[in-house]
Amino acid sequence: MGNRMLAALVFVSIVGGPAAAQPAEDRGGVPTETQLREAGDSYNPIWDLVGCLGLIGLFGFWRSSDNDGYTDDPI
């Protein structure tokens, strides 16, 4: 029974073709947000600075610890 099931799974996986991607013109003519971003040359470094400030702000969550590595750090 196990060999039959394995053979059936192999057969189904071989016979079933890959799913076809939907062409871009069939989406109603509305470009996706990524397509709009890639099409335009509107590079704005302000958003890079905002992102860097946000990452730097994550250091505010860092808490100092007196854990020596041999004991558990209390929560």
PDB file of all heavy atoms in Angstrom, residues 27-67:
ATOM      1  N   ARG A  27      -4.832  42.639 -14.906  1.00  0.00           N
ATOM      2  CA  ARG A  27      -5.072  43.070 -13.530  1.00  0.00           C
ATOM      3  C   ARG A  27      -5.921  44.337 -13.456  1.00  0.00           C
ATOM      4  O   ARG A  27      -5.942  44.989 -12.428  1.00  0.00           O
ATOM      5  CB  ARG A  27      -3.754  43.316 -12.816  1.00  0.00           C
ATOM      6  CG  ARG A  27      -2.961  42.068 -12.632  1.00  0.00           C
ATOM      7  CD  ARG A  27      -1.749  42.326 -11.797  1.00  0.00           C
ATOM      8  NE  ARG A  27      -0.892  41.166 -11.816  1.00  0.00           N
ATOM      9  CZ  ARG A  27       0.406  41.203 -11.789  1.00  0.00           C
ATOM     10  NH1 ARG A  27       1.025  42.364 -11.715  1.00  0.00           N
ATOM     11  NH2 ARG A  27       1.106  40.111 -11.811  1.00  0.00           N
ATOM     12  N   GLY A  28      -6.532  44.703 -14.525  1.00  0.00           N
ATOM     13  CA  GLY A  28      -7.376  45.885 -14.499  1.00  0.00           C
ATOM     14  C   GLY A  28      -6.636  47.161 -14.839  1.00  0.00           C
ATOM     15  O   GLY A  28      -7.176  48.248 -14.726  1.00  0.00           O
ATOM     16  N   GLY A  29      -5.394  47.050 -15.256  1.00  0.00           N
ATOM     17  CA  GLY A  29      -4.629  48.219 -15.649  1.00  0.00           C
ATOM     18  C   GLY A  29      -4.103  49.044 -14.493  1.00  0.00           C
ATOM     19  O   GLY A  29      -3.547  50.110 -14.695  1.00  0.00           O
ATOM     20  N   VAL A  30      -4.266  48.580 -13.270  1.00  0.00           N
ATOM     21  CA  VAL A  30      -3.794  49.320 -12.098  1.00  0.00           C
ATOM     22  C   VAL A  30      -2.439  48.747 -11.694  1.00  0.00           C
ATOM     23  O   VAL A  30      -2.341  47.590 -11.324  1.00  0.00           O
ATOM     24  CB  VAL A  30      -4.791  49.199 -10.926  1.00  0.00           C
ATOM     25  CG1 VAL A  30      -4.280  49.941  -9.710  1.00  0.00           C
ATOM     26  CG2 VAL A  30      -6.155  49.689 -11.340  1.00  0.00           C
ATOM     27  N   PRO A  31      -1.371  49.563 -11.771  1.00  0.00           N
ATOM     28  CA  PRO A  31      -0.056  49.049 -11.394  1.00  0.00           C
ATOM     29  C   PRO A  31       0.050  48.867  -9.878  1.00  0.00           C
ATOM     30  O   PRO A  31      -0.598  49.569  -9.104  1.00  0.00           O
ATOM     31  CB  PRO A  31       0.910  50.134 -11.884  1.00  0.00           C
ATOM     32  CG  PRO A  31       0.089  51.362 -11.962  1.00  0.00           C
ATOM     33  CD  PRO A  31      -1.318  50.928 -12.254  1.00  0.00           C
ATOM     34  N   THR A  32       0.871  47.925  -9.490  1.00  0.00           N
ATOM     35  CA  THR A  32       1.078  47.701  -8.063  1.00  0.00           C
ATOM     36  C   THR A  32       1.963  48.806  -7.494  1.00  0.00           C
ATOM     37  O   THR A  32       2.582  49.577  -8.228  1.00  0.00           O
ATOM     38  CB  THR A  32       1.748  46.341  -7.820  1.00  0.00           C
ATOM     39  OG1 THR A  32       3.039  46.363  -8.428  1.00  0.00           O
ATOM     40  CG2 THR A  32       0.919  45.210  -8.398  1.00  0.00           C
ATOM     41  N   GLU A  33       2.044  48.853  -6.189  1.00  0.00           N
ATOM     42  CA  GLU A  33       2.852  49.885  -5.541  1.00  0.00           C
ATOM     43  C   GLU A  33       4.327  49.718  -5.885  1.00  0.00           C
ATOM     44  O   GLU A  33       5.052  50.695  -6.093  1.00  0.00           O
ATOM     45  CB  GLU A  33       2.644  49.803  -4.027  1.00  0.00           C
ATOM     46  CG  GLU A  33       3.242  50.948  -3.269  1.00  0.00           C
ATOM     47  CD  GLU A  33       2.854  50.907  -1.810  1.00  0.00           C
ATOM     48  OE1 GLU A  33       1.835  50.310  -1.465  1.00  0.00           O
ATOM     49  OE2 GLU A  33       3.599  51.503  -1.014  1.00  0.00           O
ATOM     50  N   THR A  34       4.781  48.481  -5.982  1.00  0.00           N
ATOM     51  CA  THR A  34       6.173  48.229  -6.344  1.00  0.00           C
ATOM     52  C   THR A  34       6.452  48.673  -7.771  1.00  0.00           C
ATOM     53  O   THR A  34       7.502  49.247  -8.053  1.00  0.00           O
ATOM     54  CB  THR A  34       6.493  46.739  -6.173  1.00  0.00           C
ATOM     55  OG1 THR A  34       6.210  46.354  -4.834  1.00  0.00           O
ATOM     56  CG2 THR A  34       7.944  46.444  -6.495  1.00  0.00           C
ATOM     57  N   GLN A  35       5.517  48.415  -8.687  1.00  0.00           N
ATOM     58  CA  GLN A  35       5.706  48.841 -10.065  1.00  0.00           C
ATOM     59  C   GLN A  35       5.760  50.362 -10.156  1.00  0.00           C
ATOM     60  O   GLN A  35       6.557  50.910 -10.920  1.00  0.00           O
ATOM     61  CB  GLN A  35       4.577  48.305 -10.946  1.00  0.00           C
ATOM     62  CG  GLN A  35       4.650  46.814 -11.171  1.00  0.00           C
ATOM     63  CD  GLN A  35       3.417  46.270 -11.856  1.00  0.00           C
ATOM     64  OE1 GLN A  35       2.343  46.859 -11.784  1.00  0.00           O
ATOM     65  NE2 GLN A  35       3.573  45.131 -12.509  1.00  0.00           N
ATOM     66  N   LEU A  36       4.951  51.052  -9.393  1.00  0.00           N
ATOM     67  CA  LEU A  36       4.996  52.511  -9.385  1.00  0.00           C
ATOM     68  C   LEU A  36       6.324  53.023  -8.846  1.00  0.00           C
ATOM     69  O   LEU A  36       6.907  53.974  -9.363  1.00  0.00           O
ATOM     70  CB  LEU A  36       3.855  53.075  -8.546  1.00  0.00           C
ATOM     71  CG  LEU A  36       2.457  52.968  -9.129  1.00  0.00           C
ATOM     72  CD1 LEU A  36       1.426  53.435  -8.109  1.00  0.00           C
ATOM     73  CD2 LEU A  36       2.355  53.780 -10.400  1.00  0.00           C
ATOM     74  N   ARG A  37       6.815  52.372  -7.796  1.00  0.00           N
ATOM     75  CA  ARG A  37       8.064  52.797  -7.182  1.00  0.00           C
ATOM     76  C   ARG A  37       9.243  52.556  -8.119  1.00  0.00           C
ATOM     77  O   ARG A  37      10.152  53.375  -8.217  1.00  0.00           O
ATOM     78  CB  ARG A  37       8.260  52.048  -5.863  1.00  0.00           C
ATOM     79  CG  ARG A  37       9.304  52.613  -4.982  1.00  0.00           C
ATOM     80  CD  ARG A  37       9.300  52.014  -3.583  1.00  0.00           C
ATOM     81  NE  ARG A  37       9.184  50.572  -3.560  1.00  0.00           N
ATOM     82  CZ  ARG A  37       8.150  49.916  -3.030  1.00  0.00           C
ATOM     83  NH1 ARG A  37       7.157  50.582  -2.483  1.00  0.00           N
ATOM     84  NH2 ARG A  37       8.096  48.608  -3.029  1.00  0.00           N
ATOM     85  N   GLU A  38       9.229  51.426  -8.838  1.00  0.00           N
ATOM     86  CA  GLU A  38      10.311  51.121  -9.757  1.00  0.00           C
ATOM     87  C   GLU A  38      10.259  51.994 -10.999  1.00  0.00           C
ATOM     88  O   GLU A  38      11.287  52.277 -11.612  1.00  0.00           O
ATOM     89  CB  GLU A  38      10.266  49.648 -10.151  1.00  0.00           C
ATOM     90  CG  GLU A  38      10.696  48.712  -9.049  1.00  0.00           C
ATOM     91  CD  GLU A  38      10.582  47.253  -9.440  1.00  0.00           C
ATOM     92  OE1 GLU A  38       9.983  46.962 -10.494  1.00  0.00           O
ATOM     93  OE2 GLU A  38      11.113  46.413  -8.703  1.00  0.00           O
ATOM     94  N   ALA A  39       9.085  52.431 -11.395  1.00  0.00           N
ATOM     95  CA  ALA A  39       8.948  53.228 -12.609  1.00  0.00           C
ATOM     96  C   ALA A  39       9.423  54.660 -12.408  1.00  0.00           C
ATOM     97  O   ALA A  39       9.949  55.277 -13.324  1.00  0.00           O
ATOM     98  CB  ALA A  39       7.498  53.230 -13.075  1.00  0.00           C
ATOM     99  N   GLY A  40       9.258  55.196 -11.221  1.00  0.00           N
ATOM    100  CA  GLY A  40       9.606  56.587 -10.969  1.00  0.00           C
ATOM    101  C   GLY A  40      11.036  56.754 -10.515  1.00  0.00           C
ATOM    102  O   GLY A  40      11.658  55.852  -9.969  1.00  0.00           O
ATOM    103  N   ASP A  41      11.589  57.922 -10.767  1.00  0.00           N
ATOM    104  CA  ASP A  41      12.937  58.250 -10.318  1.00  0.00           C
ATOM    105  C   ASP A  41      12.875  59.220  -9.154  1.00  0.00           C
ATOM    106  O   ASP A  41      13.678  60.135  -9.037  1.00  0.00           O
ATOM    107  CB  ASP A  41      13.736  58.871 -11.465  1.00  0.00           C
ATOM    108  CG  ASP A  41      14.015  57.880 -12.565  1.00  0.00           C
ATOM    109  OD1 ASP A  41      14.073  56.681 -12.275  1.00  0.00           O
ATOM    110  OD2 ASP A  41      14.179  58.323 -13.703  1.00  0.00           O
ATOM    111  N   SER A  42      11.914  59.056  -8.303  1.00  0.00           N
ATOM    112  CA  SER A  42      11.713  59.994  -7.200  1.00  0.00           C
ATOM    113  C   SER A  42      12.406  59.478  -5.942  1.00  0.00           C
ATOM    114  O   SER A  42      11.771  59.092  -4.971  1.00  0.00           O
ATOM    115  CB  SER A  42      10.223  60.197  -6.951  1.00  0.00           C
ATOM    116  OG  SER A  42       9.634  58.963  -6.609  1.00  0.00           O
ATOM    117  N   TYR A  43      13.740  59.460  -5.969  1.00  0.00           N
ATOM    118  CA  TYR A  43      14.500  59.038  -4.801  1.00  0.00           C
ATOM    119  C   TYR A  43      14.479  60.158  -3.774  1.00  0.00           C
ATOM    120  O   TYR A  43      14.798  61.305  -4.076  1.00  0.00           O
ATOM    121  CB  TYR A  43      15.932  58.693  -5.191  1.00  0.00           C
ATOM    122  CG  TYR A  43      16.810  58.394  -4.010  1.00  0.00           C
ATOM    123  CD1 TYR A  43      16.631  57.225  -3.283  1.00  0.00           C
ATOM    124  CD2 TYR A  43      17.797  59.266  -3.607  1.00  0.00           C
ATOM    125  CE1 TYR A  43      17.416  56.937  -2.197  1.00  0.00           C
ATOM    126  CE2 TYR A  43      18.579  58.997  -2.519  1.00  0.00           C
ATOM    127  CZ  TYR A  43      18.391  57.828  -1.820  1.00  0.00           C
ATOM    128  OH  TYR A  43      19.171  57.554  -0.731  1.00  0.00           O
ATOM    129  N   ASN A  44      14.103  59.829  -2.560  1.00  0.00           N
ATOM    130  CA  ASN A  44      13.994  60.828  -1.514  1.00  0.00           C
ATOM    131  C   ASN A  44      14.819  60.359  -0.310  1.00  0.00           C
ATOM    132  O   ASN A  44      14.410  59.444   0.407  1.00  0.00           O
ATOM    133  CB  ASN A  44      12.528  61.024  -1.133  1.00  0.00           C
ATOM    134  CG  ASN A  44      12.321  62.267  -0.305  1.00  0.00           C
ATOM    135  OD1 ASN A  44      13.277  62.877   0.145  1.00  0.00           O
ATOM    136  ND2 ASN A  44      11.068  62.637  -0.113  1.00  0.00           N
ATOM    137  N   PRO A  45      15.983  60.965  -0.067  1.00  0.00           N
ATOM    138  CA  PRO A  45      16.845  60.511   1.025  1.00  0.00           C
ATOM    139  C   PRO A  45      16.278  60.817   2.407  1.00  0.00           C
ATOM    140  O   PRO A  45      16.791  60.321   3.401  1.00  0.00           O
ATOM    141  CB  PRO A  45      18.164  61.261   0.794  1.00  0.00           C
ATOM    142  CG  PRO A  45      17.787  62.450  -0.005  1.00  0.00           C
ATOM    143  CD  PRO A  45      16.601  62.044  -0.838  1.00  0.00           C
ATOM    144  N   ILE A  46      15.225  61.598   2.482  1.00  0.00           N
ATOM    145  CA  ILE A  46      14.613  61.897   3.783  1.00  0.00           C
ATOM    146  C   ILE A  46      14.142  60.602   4.448  1.00  0.00           C
ATOM    147  O   ILE A  46      14.316  60.413   5.660  1.00  0.00           O
ATOM    148  CB  ILE A  46      13.434  62.877   3.615  1.00  0.00           C
ATOM    149  CG1 ILE A  46      13.923  64.216   3.065  1.00  0.00           C
ATOM    150  CG2 ILE A  46      12.681  63.068   4.902  1.00  0.00           C
ATOM    151  CD1 ILE A  46      14.817  64.980   4.004  1.00  0.00           C
ATOM    152  N   TRP A  47      13.582  59.695   3.653  1.00  0.00           N
ATOM    153  CA  TRP A  47      13.075  58.444   4.230  1.00  0.00           C
ATOM    154  C   TRP A  47      14.220  57.566   4.720  1.00  0.00           C
ATOM    155  O   TRP A  47      14.067  56.819   5.682  1.00  0.00           O
ATOM    156  CB  TRP A  47      12.209  57.703   3.232  1.00  0.00           C
ATOM    157  CG  TRP A  47      10.964  58.457   2.915  1.00  0.00           C
ATOM    158  CD1 TRP A  47      10.603  58.989   1.723  1.00  0.00           C
ATOM    159  CD2 TRP A  47       9.911  58.792   3.832  1.00  0.00           C
ATOM    160  NE1 TRP A  47       9.407  59.640   1.820  1.00  0.00           N
ATOM    161  CE2 TRP A  47       8.958  59.527   3.111  1.00  0.00           C
ATOM    162  CE3 TRP A  47       9.694  58.557   5.180  1.00  0.00           C
ATOM    163  CZ2 TRP A  47       7.796  60.019   3.701  1.00  0.00           C
ATOM    164  CZ3 TRP A  47       8.547  59.046   5.765  1.00  0.00           C
ATOM    165  CH2 TRP A  47       7.607  59.763   5.032  1.00  0.00           C
ATOM    166  N   ASP A  48      15.381  57.658   4.076  1.00  0.00           N
ATOM    167  CA  ASP A  48      16.546  56.927   4.571  1.00  0.00           C
ATOM    168  C   ASP A  48      16.964  57.462   5.942  1.00  0.00           C
ATOM    169  O   ASP A  48      17.300  56.690   6.846  1.00  0.00           O
ATOM    170  CB  ASP A  48      17.710  57.052   3.592  1.00  0.00           C
ATOM    171  CG  ASP A  48      17.457  56.300   2.300  1.00  0.00           C
ATOM    172  OD1 ASP A  48      16.611  55.389   2.305  1.00  0.00           O
ATOM    173  OD2 ASP A  48      18.113  56.635   1.303  1.00  0.00           O
ATOM    174  N   LEU A  49      16.932  58.778   6.097  1.00  0.00           N
ATOM    175  CA  LEU A  49      17.297  59.369   7.385  1.00  0.00           C
ATOM    176  C   LEU A  49      16.284  59.015   8.469  1.00  0.00           C
ATOM    177  O   LEU A  49      16.660  58.738   9.616  1.00  0.00           O
ATOM    178  CB  LEU A  49      17.407  60.888   7.250  1.00  0.00           C
ATOM    179  CG  LEU A  49      18.545  61.381   6.354  1.00  0.00           C
ATOM    180  CD1 LEU A  49      18.466  62.884   6.174  1.00  0.00           C
ATOM    181  CD2 LEU A  49      19.879  60.975   6.940  1.00  0.00           C
ATOM    182  N   VAL A  50      15.018  59.009   8.114  1.00  0.00           N
ATOM    183  CA  VAL A  50      13.980  58.628   9.088  1.00  0.00           C
ATOM    184  C   VAL A  50      14.184  57.185   9.532  1.00  0.00           C
ATOM    185  O   VAL A  50      14.080  56.858  10.719  1.00  0.00           O
ATOM    186  CB  VAL A  50      12.571  58.840   8.487  1.00  0.00           C
ATOM    187  CG1 VAL A  50      11.501  58.218   9.366  1.00  0.00           C
ATOM    188  CG2 VAL A  50      12.294  60.306   8.279  1.00  0.00           C
ATOM    189  N   GLY A  51      14.512  56.320   8.582  1.00  0.00           N
ATOM    190  CA  GLY A  51      14.758  54.921   8.928  1.00  0.00           C
ATOM    191  C   GLY A  51      15.972  54.751   9.818  1.00  0.00           C
ATOM    192  O   GLY A  51      15.966  53.959  10.766  1.00  0.00           O
ATOM    193  N   CYS A  52      17.033  55.515   9.534  1.00  0.00           N
ATOM    194  CA  CYS A  52      18.232  55.441  10.381  1.00  0.00           C
ATOM    195  C   CYS A  52      17.946  55.934  11.788  1.00  0.00           C
ATOM    196  O   CYS A  52      18.420  55.346  12.764  1.00  0.00           O
ATOM    197  CB  CYS A  52      19.368  56.246   9.756  1.00  0.00           C
ATOM    198  SG  CYS A  52      20.083  55.454   8.321  1.00  0.00           S
ATOM    199  N   LEU A  53      17.174  57.005  11.898  1.00  0.00           N
ATOM    200  CA  LEU A  53      16.810  57.495  13.232  1.00  0.00           C
ATOM    201  C   LEU A  53      15.987  56.464  13.991  1.00  0.00           C
ATOM    202  O   LEU A  53      16.147  56.293  15.201  1.00  0.00           O
ATOM    203  CB  LEU A  53      16.039  58.808  13.118  1.00  0.00           C
ATOM    204  CG  LEU A  53      16.854  60.034  12.729  1.00  0.00           C
ATOM    205  CD1 LEU A  53      15.938  61.234  12.542  1.00  0.00           C
ATOM    206  CD2 LEU A  53      17.898  60.323  13.793  1.00  0.00           C
ATOM    207  N   GLY A  54      15.122  55.770  13.283  1.00  0.00           N
ATOM    208  CA  GLY A  54      14.336  54.729  13.929  1.00  0.00           C
ATOM    209  C   GLY A  54      15.200  53.595  14.427  1.00  0.00           C
ATOM    210  O   GLY A  54      14.997  53.060  15.522  1.00  0.00           O
ATOM    211  N   LEU A  55      16.197  53.206  13.628  1.00  0.00           N
ATOM    212  CA  LEU A  55      17.106  52.142  14.066  1.00  0.00           C
ATOM    213  C   LEU A  55      17.964  52.591  15.239  1.00  0.00           C
ATOM    214  O   LEU A  55      18.225  51.821  16.169  1.00  0.00           O
ATOM    215  CB  LEU A  55      17.989  51.697  12.902  1.00  0.00           C
ATOM    216  CG  LEU A  55      17.272  50.918  11.804  1.00  0.00           C
ATOM    217  CD1 LEU A  55      18.213  50.659  10.647  1.00  0.00           C
ATOM    218  CD2 LEU A  55      16.724  49.617  12.349  1.00  0.00           C
ATOM    219  N   ILE A  56      18.399  53.843  15.207  1.00  0.00           N
ATOM    220  CA  ILE A  56      19.173  54.366  16.333  1.00  0.00           C
ATOM    221  C   ILE A  56      18.300  54.418  17.588  1.00  0.00           C
ATOM    222  O   ILE A  56      18.770  54.164  18.693  1.00  0.00           O
ATOM    223  CB  ILE A  56      19.749  55.758  15.985  1.00  0.00           C
ATOM    224  CG1 ILE A  56      20.816  55.608  14.912  1.00  0.00           C
ATOM    225  CG2 ILE A  56      20.306  56.451  17.211  1.00  0.00           C
ATOM    226  CD1 ILE A  56      21.302  56.910  14.337  1.00  0.00           C
ATOM    227  N   GLY A  57      17.021  54.706  17.421  1.00  0.00           N
ATOM    228  CA  GLY A  57      16.104  54.750  18.558  1.00  0.00           C
ATOM    229  C   GLY A  57      15.936  53.403  19.234  1.00  0.00           C
ATOM    230  O   GLY A  57      15.570  53.333  20.401  1.00  0.00           O
ATOM    231  N   LEU A  58      16.215  52.322  18.501  1.00  0.00           N
ATOM    232  CA  LEU A  58      16.113  50.999  19.122  1.00  0.00           C
ATOM    233  C   LEU A  58      17.143  50.814  20.235  1.00  0.00           C
ATOM    234  O   LEU A  58      16.962  49.984  21.119  1.00  0.00           O
ATOM    235  CB  LEU A  58      16.285  49.905  18.069  1.00  0.00           C
ATOM    236  CG  LEU A  58      15.121  49.734  17.107  1.00  0.00           C
ATOM    237  CD1 LEU A  58      15.457  48.686  16.061  1.00  0.00           C
ATOM    238  CD2 LEU A  58      13.858  49.336  17.845  1.00  0.00           C
ATOM    239  N   PHE A  59      18.236  51.566  20.205  1.00  0.00           N
ATOM    240  CA  PHE A  59      19.224  51.454  21.272  1.00  0.00           C
ATOM    241  C   PHE A  59      18.664  51.932  22.597  1.00  0.00           C
ATOM    242  O   PHE A  59      19.201  51.599  23.654  1.00  0.00           O
ATOM    243  CB  PHE A  59      20.492  52.240  20.921  1.00  0.00           C
ATOM    244  CG  PHE A  59      21.343  51.556  19.898  1.00  0.00           C
ATOM    245  CD1 PHE A  59      21.532  52.120  18.656  1.00  0.00           C
ATOM    246  CD2 PHE A  59      21.938  50.341  20.175  1.00  0.00           C
ATOM    247  CE1 PHE A  59      22.307  51.496  17.710  1.00  0.00           C
ATOM    248  CE2 PHE A  59      22.715  49.701  19.237  1.00  0.00           C
ATOM    249  CZ  PHE A  59      22.903  50.282  17.991  1.00  0.00           C
ATOM    250  N   GLY A  60      17.595  52.692  22.576  1.00  0.00           N
ATOM    251  CA  GLY A  60      16.966  53.135  23.812  1.00  0.00           C
ATOM    252  C   GLY A  60      16.329  51.988  24.584  1.00  0.00           C
ATOM    253  O   GLY A  60      16.125  52.079  25.783  1.00  0.00           O
ATOM    254  N   PHE A  61      16.027  50.884  23.887  1.00  0.00           N
ATOM    255  CA  PHE A  61      15.446  49.719  24.549  1.00  0.00           C
ATOM    256  C   PHE A  61      16.506  48.832  25.185  1.00  0.00           C
ATOM    257  O   PHE A  61      16.192  47.896  25.890  1.00  0.00           O
ATOM    258  CB  PHE A  61      14.630  48.891  23.550  1.00  0.00           C
ATOM    259  CG  PHE A  61      13.382  49.590  23.104  1.00  0.00           C
ATOM    260  CD1 PHE A  61      13.181  49.888  21.766  1.00  0.00           C
ATOM    261  CD2 PHE A  61      12.393  49.934  24.011  1.00  0.00           C
ATOM    262  CE1 PHE A  61      12.036  50.522  21.350  1.00  0.00           C
ATOM    263  CE2 PHE A  61      11.251  50.572  23.602  1.00  0.00           C
ATOM    264  CZ  PHE A  61      11.069  50.869  22.263  1.00  0.00           C
ATOM    265  N   TRP A  62      17.777  49.109  24.893  1.00  0.00           N
ATOM    266  CA  TRP A  62      18.865  48.292  25.439  1.00  0.00           C
ATOM    267  C   TRP A  62      19.002  48.579  26.921  1.00  0.00           C
ATOM    268  O   TRP A  62      19.090  49.717  27.343  1.00  0.00           O
ATOM    269  CB  TRP A  62      20.161  48.653  24.718  1.00  0.00           C
ATOM    270  CG  TRP A  62      21.275  47.718  25.010  1.00  0.00           C
ATOM    271  CD1 TRP A  62      22.129  47.791  26.051  1.00  0.00           C
ATOM    272  CD2 TRP A  62      21.640  46.581  24.252  1.00  0.00           C
ATOM    273  NE1 TRP A  62      23.020  46.768  26.005  1.00  0.00           N
ATOM    274  CE2 TRP A  62      22.739  46.003  24.903  1.00  0.00           C
ATOM    275  CE3 TRP A  62      21.154  45.992  23.112  1.00  0.00           C
ATOM    276  CZ2 TRP A  62      23.354  44.865  24.435  1.00  0.00           C
ATOM    277  CZ3 TRP A  62      21.778  44.860  22.641  1.00  0.00           C
ATOM    278  CH2 TRP A  62      22.852  44.305  23.298  1.00  0.00           C
ATOM    279  N   ARG A  63      19.001  47.540  27.716  1.00  0.00           N
ATOM    280  CA  ARG A  63      19.151  47.767  29.152  1.00  0.00           C
ATOM    281  C   ARG A  63      20.466  47.166  29.612  1.00  0.00           C
ATOM    282  O   ARG A  63      20.878  46.100  29.150  1.00  0.00           O
ATOM    283  CB  ARG A  63      17.970  47.206  29.922  1.00  0.00           C
ATOM    284  CG  ARG A  63      18.020  45.774  30.251  1.00  0.00           C
ATOM    285  CD  ARG A  63      16.762  45.352  31.023  1.00  0.00           C
ATOM    286  NE  ARG A  63      16.604  43.932  30.899  1.00  0.00           N
ATOM    287  CZ  ARG A  63      17.100  43.073  31.777  1.00  0.00           C
ATOM    288  NH1 ARG A  63      17.717  43.504  32.837  1.00  0.00           N
ATOM    289  NH2 ARG A  63      16.947  41.787  31.581  1.00  0.00           N
ATOM    290  N   SER A  64      21.110  47.858  30.484  1.00  0.00           N
ATOM    291  CA  SER A  64      22.373  47.343  31.012  1.00  0.00           C
ATOM    292  C   SER A  64      22.088  46.186  31.958  1.00  0.00           C
ATOM    293  O   SER A  64      21.031  46.098  32.573  1.00  0.00           O
ATOM    294  CB  SER A  64      23.135  48.453  31.728  1.00  0.00           C
ATOM    295  OG  SER A  64      22.351  48.917  32.810  1.00  0.00           O
ATOM    296  N   SER A  65      23.046  45.317  32.058  1.00  0.00           N
ATOM    297  CA  SER A  65      22.854  44.126  32.865  1.00  0.00           C
ATOM    298  C   SER A  65      24.081  43.898  33.735  1.00  0.00           C
ATOM    299  O   SER A  65      25.213  44.130  33.321  1.00  0.00           O
ATOM    300  CB  SER A  65      22.622  42.914  31.958  1.00  0.00           C
ATOM    301  OG  SER A  65      22.583  41.744  32.723  1.00  0.00           O
ATOM    302  N   ASP A  66      23.856  43.423  34.928  1.00  0.00           N
ATOM    303  CA  ASP A  66      24.958  43.058  35.801  1.00  0.00           C
ATOM    304  C   ASP A  66      25.167  41.535  35.785  1.00  0.00           C
ATOM    305  O   ASP A  66      25.769  40.986  36.679  1.00  0.00           O
ATOM    306  CB  ASP A  66      24.705  43.549  37.230  1.00  0.00           C
ATOM    307  CG  ASP A  66      23.412  43.002  37.799  1.00  0.00           C
ATOM    308  OD1 ASP A  66      22.634  42.415  37.054  1.00  0.00           O
ATOM    309  OD2 ASP A  66      23.207  43.196  39.022  1.00  0.00           O
ATOM    310  N   ASN A  67      24.671  40.908  34.753  1.00  0.00           N
ATOM    311  CA  ASN A  67      24.780  39.467  34.635  1.00  0.00           C
ATOM    312  C   ASN A  67      26.220  39.119  34.328  1.00  0.00           C
ATOM    313  O   ASN A  67      26.823  39.599  33.373  1.00  0.00           O
ATOM    314  CB  ASN A  67      23.858  38.967  33.508  1.00  0.00           C
ATOM    315  CG  ASN A  67      23.793  37.468  33.446  1.00  0.00           C
ATOM    316  OD1 ASN A  67      24.466  36.767  34.205  1.00  0.00           O
ATOM    317  ND2 ASN A  67      22.985  36.966  32.532  1.00  0.00           N
TER     318      ASN A  67
END
